[in-house]
Amino acid sequence: ATEEQDDFLVQIAGVEMDIFYTIVQYLDCLSLYRLEQTCSRLAELIRLTNIWNKKYEAAIPKIQSVEKSQLGLSNENSLLN
């Protein structure tokens, strides 16, 4: 993307932060990371939306579920030995 295109995207995102947030919340983590790397202004907008924290908070139940299942498996394995 050219600098002119980047500036246009940043202008749109800056004016309509809620629209920008709505769009980036649908990105997977790798895509969000890559978007962040394209332009320092977009990186700043991503930081301002606090999207990384929101993605982490949304993933906490999944993380806890995996941890519980792993804990349960390790407890079963220790009982068998």
Side-chain angles (χ1 to χ4, degrees), residues 17-30:
M17 187 65 92
D18 57 332
I19 293 172
F20 179 76
Y21 172 74
T22 300
I23 293 168
V24 298
Q25 75 179 351
Y26 289 103
L27 296 176
D28 60 57
C29 290
L30 181 58

Side-chain angles (χ1 to χ4, degrees), residues 38-75:
T38 62
C39 170
S40 62
R41 293 181 192 145
L42 282 174
E44 179 67 13
L45 288 171
I46 290 169
R47 188 188 66 76
L48 290 173
T49 61
N50 212 15
I51 189 73
W52 282 114
N53 287 344
K54 292 172 184 168
K55 283 193 171 289
Y56 173 74
E57 289 170 4
I60 287 175
K62 293 177 188 174
I63 293 168
Q64 290 173 337
S65 174
V66 169
E67 288 175 340
K68 285 180 184 177
S69 68
Q70 289 177 345
L71 183 60
L73 288 176
S74 79
N75 284 342

